[in-house]
Amino acid sequence: MWNYQNGYREKITDYMEKLIKQDGYPLEKYSVTTKDRYINIMYRIPYGKCGNTNGQRRPAVLLNHGMICSSAIFIDQNPLGYYLADNGYDVWLLNNRGTTFSTKHEDYDAEKEKDKYWDFGFHEIAIFDLPAFIDFVLDHTRRRTICHIGFSQGATTFAIMASELPEYNEKINLSILLACPILFDNVSFFHVKVSCILGIIIIQILEKIFRLKLHEIPLMAEMRFLMFYAAKNNIYRKISELIMSLIVGYRDRIQLSELDHQRLGITTPNSSSTRQFLHYSQMIRYSKFAKYDYGSTKNKELYGNKNPPLYDLSKVTSPVGIFYGKNDMYNDCYQDGLEKRLGNTVHVQILDHEFYNHLDFLYAKDNIKILFEDMLKLMKKYCHL
């Protein structure tokens, strides 16, 4: 029986590391310390299952996960990490601060000093974690550039990093953005906006009236428990599918028919800070790709204005390839217009599947044909040593 109360972080880490090795791939593990002293874990699959017999150097690719996710989403039931390794790439899998893999800090204890440790959102992940991971890979491999693939929040943090730290554009030979929640002008699902507004209100009530400080997005362990037992109990599975449909658009039963909820529930959903959810909620509510809104008083102190400033996407000058799903509830693929706002969009593709949704980018059973082959073609054009 999977135990979510005692040593679950170690159990999740142990599961992932054993899985990669059992699948026949080489695995390296590294600790990466950020400028603000968070200690995060990154995995490396340096070559594919057949080995690296010719000893040649391979182009490096960094896989960047989403919110309430971890590096597990690119390995367990999603062959992207293995697919890239088998096709000649040096694959690096990051785990952002706050995930079950990365909960250490040089000064703070994530459990005993929650107010200090969990004082971050995806803005901090973008300006501290992602640059640290990129620099580590480049230093370790002695390369000048790296390919970046960001799913969901991984696309958001890339856009923030490249606009706030434009010097990092020179270190990216290509960034592929999958299911990218950046512009929310055309979110067509009414319940998404309602859920965001209600989420903000509930958190404010809990914190201001009941004096409950929510450091992490709540119920993630309970959701993993539900996912883990969904395969054994039809009622659990129906509840799990309903929750997933509300969050990610779980509609294509054919493409997700082979998804093993029990395996998924070991690692996903993963832990994230409450501010990550609140920041997305603000952007969806106001349809602005802006910095975090702390309130007018603190905004004026931090930003010099009562309103948070917008991120300047024109500063994203490294080559970007965007892949849209026709049924992604966070992007209207026909009206999103992100490619016009970025400084150097080189590829835009709406995937040829009518019901392809946010979750399908990870777990659609036909992803090699629907998505990976086209990604690989684009990478071969831009991702060189």
Side-chain angles (χ1 to χ4, degrees), residues 200-218:
I200 293 174
I201 293 172
I202 290 171
I203 290 174
Q204 288 178 340
I205 290 174
L206 290 173
E207 292 189 345
K208 293 182 179 180
I209 298 178
F210 292 96
R211 305 296 181 183
L212 295 175
K213 180 64 176 178
L214 298 179
H215 302 91
E216 302 176 59
I217 298 176

Side-chain angles (χ1 to χ4, degrees), residues 11-189:
K11 289 181 173 69
I12 290 173
T13 298
D14 187 56
Y15 167 78
M16 269 297 299
E17 294 175 5
K18 284 183 177 178
L19 178 65
I20 295 173
K21 293 175 182 177
Q22 289 173 358
D23 288 341
Y25 289 84
L27 176 65
E28 299 174 9
K29 182 179 180 179
Y30 300 94
S31 293
V32 179
T33 302
T34 67
K35 288 184 178 179
D36 59 345
R37 301 170 72 81
Y38 282 79
I39 303 171
N40 300 327
I41 296 299
M42 181 160 54
Y43 292 117
R44 181 191 190 188
I45 303 176
Y47 49 83
K49 185 181 289 187
C50 296
N52 191 24
T53 54
N54 56 15
Q56 291 183 348
R57 297 177 72 219
R58 293 162 167 245
V61 56
L62 180 64
L63 303 188
N64 187 356
H65 62 78
M67 189 175 73
I68 65 170
C69 296
S70 68
S71 62
I73 64 169
F74 297 115
I75 295 297
D76 197 4
Q77 301 187 81
N78 173 6
L80 179 59
Y82 295 155
Y83 179 81
L84 294 174
D86 287 335
N87 279 277
Y89 288 88
D90 180 1
V91 179
W92 295 78
L93 303 144
L94 63 79
N95 291 284
N96 289 315
R97 64 182 67 188
T99 62
T100 53
F101 297 88
S102 302
T103 54
K104 292 186 178 181
H105 191 281
E106 290 189 337
D107 304 314
Y108 311 134
D109 186 291
E111 293 295 331
K112 298 178 181 178
E113 299 172 282
K114 290 186 176 182
D115 283 345
K116 294 179 179 178
Y117 178 87
W118 291 96
D119 186 21
F120 66 84
F122 55 72
H123 176 86
E124 287 72 24
I125 290 173
I127 65 171
F128 292 118
D129 290 18
L130 186 52
F133 285 125
I134 291 171
D135 287 338
F136 184 92
V137 174
L138 294 179
D139 290 343
H140 193 85
T141 59
R142 297 182 180 180
R143 293 182 173 90
R144 292 186 303 168
T145 60
I146 189 174
C147 178
H148 168 270
I149 297 176
F151 165 74
S152 193
Q153 183 188 262
T156 309
T157 55
F158 165 78
I160 293 173
M161 180 198 72
S163 61
E164 291 290 291
L165 304 172
E167 64 271 20
Y168 274 84
N169 285 286
E170 300 300 320
K171 301 182 181 185
I172 307 293
N173 50 40
L174 173 69
S175 184
I176 293 177
L177 307 184
L178 308 174
C180 40
I182 296 175
L183 303 181
F184 293 99
D185 299 2
N186 300 293
V187 174
S188 56
F189 290 82

Side-chain angles (χ1 to χ4, degrees), residues 213 245 366:
K213 180 64 176 178
S245 68
D366 295 328

